[in-house]
Structures are given as structure tokens and as C-alpha cells.
């Protein structure tokens, strides 16, 4: 049986997903947010439940991904230039944290930032 929904992405805070949800709905793509009400009532548990999930119907997957990739923010260096993947030279990377160990799970902002290329999937060290 085919899945009815496709998860576009998960977001730590409900506010982060609202702009993308509005844009998708403006383009005629129905959007569903899983765990939105749970995080509105207790935002501290976001990491424990995996954040708020942005879902679309499976039939709208390709269109929704195209819109999402068009408007999403990619990582930039301190000069505002896009981070370039050393492997495939794509300029579509996002900040990546491993959060290994109890200390980094509790205090993720102490972990050194790495970048994950959304094109080839390679994880690079800070620039």
C-alpha cells in the first residue's frame, strides 16, 4: 500500500515552518503539520519528539520539494557567500550537528558547526 503522506522536513520550532507552509499553500499544495500542537504547548520537548514535521500528500511530493528547495535558506560563510561543497561544488549546504554524547545533546550550541551538502550528502568541517 502506498504511503498517503510524505515528510518534506522537520523543524525545531513551529514558527520556522510557518513561512514554508504558507508558501506551499499559496501554490495550491495542501500541507499538514504533525506535532504542531504538542510543541505549541511544550516547545522544550522539540528535540525529544523530532520537531514539527511538514507533511504533504505523496501525489504532491515533487511539486512541494521543488517549491521548498527554491525558498529554503542554505548555509553561508561569514562574508555572506554560499558554502561550496568540496566534493561536488554545489552551493546547497546546511549546518549539520552530530550531537554525539550527553554534553552535546544537552548543549548543542557548543558543538563545532559542520556542513552537509544536500546534493551529494558529504559532511565537511567548518570553513
Amino acid at each position: 500500500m502506498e504511503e498517503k503522506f510524505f515528510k518534506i522536513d522537520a523543524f525545531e520550532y513551529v514558527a520556522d515552518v510557518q513561512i514554508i507552509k504558507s508558501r506551499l499553500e499559496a501554490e495550491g499544495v495542501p500541507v499538514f503539520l504533525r506535532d504542531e500542537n504538542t510543541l505549541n504547548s511544550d516547545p522544550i520537548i522539540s528535540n525529544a519528539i523530532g520537531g514539527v514535521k511538514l507533511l504533504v500528500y505523496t501525489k504532491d511530493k515533487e511539486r512541494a520539494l521543488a517549491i521548498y528547495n527554491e525558498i529554503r535558506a542554505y548555509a553561508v560563510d561569514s562574508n555572506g557567500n554560499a558554502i561550496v561543497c568540496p566534493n561536488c561544488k554545489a552551493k546547497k549546504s546546511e549546518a549539520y550537528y552530530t550531537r554525539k554524547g550527553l554534553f552535546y545533546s544537552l548543549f548543542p550550541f557548543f558543538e563545532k558547526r559542520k556542513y552537509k551538502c544536500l546534493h551529494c550528502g558529504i559532511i565537511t568541517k567548518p570553513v
Side-chain angles (χ1 to χ4, degrees), residues 9 13-14 26 41 44 46 51 56 65 67 76 83 96 98-99 107 109-110:
D9 207 349
Y13 302 107
V14 176
S41 64
I44 294 173
S46 182
V56 297
L65 282 172
I67 294 166
V76 294
I83 301 292
Y96 178 80
T98 55
R99 294 188 179 163
F107 307 103
F109 45 85
F110 284 120

Side-chain angles (χ1 to χ4, degrees), residues 47-83:
N47 285 335
I49 65 171
V52 61
K53 290 89 175 167
L54 176 68
L55 306 172
V56 297
Y57 287 120
T58 304
K59 65 183 175 82
D60 296 324
K61 171 185 170 181
E62 297 304 321
R63 197 161 133 230
L65 282 172
I67 294 166
Y68 177 56
N69 287 331
E70 177 185 314
I71 63 173
R72 74 195 300 180
Y74 297 107
V76 294
D77 62 15
S78 57
N79 297 324
N81 301 318
I83 301 292

Side-chain angles (χ1 to χ4, degrees), residues 99-108:
R99 294 188 179 163
K100 288 186 179 178
L102 180 62
F103 180 77
Y104 290 128
S105 294
L106 295 173
F107 307 103

